[in-house]
Amino acid sequence: MSLLLFSVLVAAPFFLKPYGIYLLSLWVVMTIAAIGLNLTLGYAGQISLAQGAFVGIGAYAAALLTTTGWPLWSAFLLAIALSLAIGWLLGYPALRVQHHYLAFVTLAFATLVYLMLRNEEWLTKGVYGVPNIPRPTLLGWSTKAPIPFYFFCLGILALVSAGTWWLVRSPWGRAFTALRENALRADSLGVDTRRYTLMAFAFGSALGGVAGVLYAPLIQFIEPTVFNLNLSLSLLLMVMVGGSGYFLGPFLGAAVSVLLPEWARFGSDALYLILYAIAVMVLMAFCPSGLLGLSERVFKR
């Protein structure tokens, strides 16, 4: 199934118009961010409403560096280092508070990042945003056109997917799952729940930063409004709709959230958005484990 999905993703841009390729690239970027949130929420059970803020940190790192002549790889390194460090620090409140209290803490952090992006004009250019963000040239191969940049994003997604696949099946991944299922029992069995809680936030946040580094050259213009709380809620929706704690959940959830609303356009904008919202509410009401959880229940019968 993975090989079939990969073949479809490789062939798809050659049959799409530029806007379709842009949507597919956006799906790739949002999938990477959702994979990070799935690590924190789905595997480790730590609620976070700050993933959109880490996408913003990565996007601004890419925009500010590449528009002053630095290569995109320097932005990747800076975004990963910043997101890892901040995500690790953000994990400390999770050691003291849980559930909706933790959600409020991460919500406050996301609001803080948004206000800094909007008001610290000397660094982020404030509401004016950062225009003319270049796309990278790799070993003489320009990604300026839509299709080459899509394949560049797809290559990063493949690396992120392979790394996440290894991580969730490693002792670290099993420790994350033990932390999600029952932190007290995991602690009694010798799992260092304090360290793995911090790691879950750090790794998930770093992938948010990676997604942001790709988002900036995809759009080629960024401004703070994109990275407000709505983006964090959208990423949370992707993880929940696809299936929290399932490896393919972020892929499916991002497709439902990014691609389906555009491809389902018919009639007025309001009508398709209403139908989309009703479908999501029905799914969450009757199958909180998401689409993959629903398919698992159907096949078990």
Side-chain angles (χ1 to χ4, degrees), residues 67-149:
T67 52
T68 53
W70 287 78
L72 190 65
W73 295 114
S74 63
F76 272 115
L77 294 176
L78 178 63
I80 291 172
L82 267 178
S83 301
L84 265 175
I86 298 173
W88 185 279
L89 293 175
L90 190 61
Y92 277 98
L95 302 176
R96 301 183 62 86
V97 297
Q98 290 291 319
H99 309 302
H100 56 284
Y101 296 105
L102 181 57
F104 285 132
V105 171
T106 55
L107 172 64
F109 171 76
T111 305
L112 173 65
V113 171
Y114 169 70
L115 291 175
M116 289 185 67
L117 295 179
R118 189 175 187 277
N119 296 321
E120 300 302 322
E121 195 171 316
W122 62 274
L123 176 64
T124 65
K125 303 189 188 306
V127 296
Y128 300 105
V130 183
N132 303 320
I133 302 168
R135 291 178 177 174
T137 297
L138 310 168
L139 302 175
W141 179 58
S142 172
T143 64
K144 188 175 181 181
I147 290 182
F149 188 73

Side-chain angles (χ1 to χ4, degrees), residues 203-229:
F203 289 168
S205 303
L207 291 184
V210 170
V213 173
L214 294 175
Y215 182 82
L218 171 64
I219 304 298
Q220 297 189 291
F221 171 78
I222 60 169
E223 51 91 19
T225 308
V226 178
F227 309 107
N228 62 18
L229 183 61

Side-chain angles (χ1 to χ4, degrees), residues 162-291:
T164 306
W165 178 268
W166 169 82
L167 178 65
V168 297
R169 280 157 181 76
S170 70
W172 290 357
R174 288 191 287 275
F176 286 166
T177 305
L179 180 64
R180 177 193 65 192
E181 296 299 325
N182 191 317
L184 288 177
R185 184 179 300 171
D187 197 35
S188 67
L189 292 173
V191 175
D192 187 344
T193 54
R194 176 187 175 88
R195 185 177 60 159
Y196 285 108
T197 299
L198 299 177
M199 285 174 58
F201 272 95
F203 289 168
S205 303
L207 291 184
V210 170
V213 173
L214 294 175
Y215 182 82
L218 171 64
I219 304 298
Q220 297 189 291
F221 171 78
I222 60 169
E223 51 91 19
T225 308
V226 178
F227 309 107
N228 62 18
L229 183 61
N230 287 340
L231 179 57
S232 293
L233 294 176
S234 295
L235 291 169
L236 180 62
L237 178 68
M238 292 175 200
V239 172
M240 299 305 293
V241 167
S244 175
Y246 291 90
F247 181 77
L248 292 177
F251 294 79
L252 188 56
V256 171
S257 184
V258 176
L259 303 180
L260 185 62
E262 294 297 326
W263 288 346
R265 278 179 185 270
F266 60 91
S268 68
D269 284 355
L271 179 60
Y272 93 86
L273 285 175
I274 290 171
L275 292 176
Y276 172 73
I278 291 173
V280 171
M281 286 190 290
V282 169
L283 175 67
M284 288 293 94
F286 292 98
C287 189
S289 58
L291 290 170

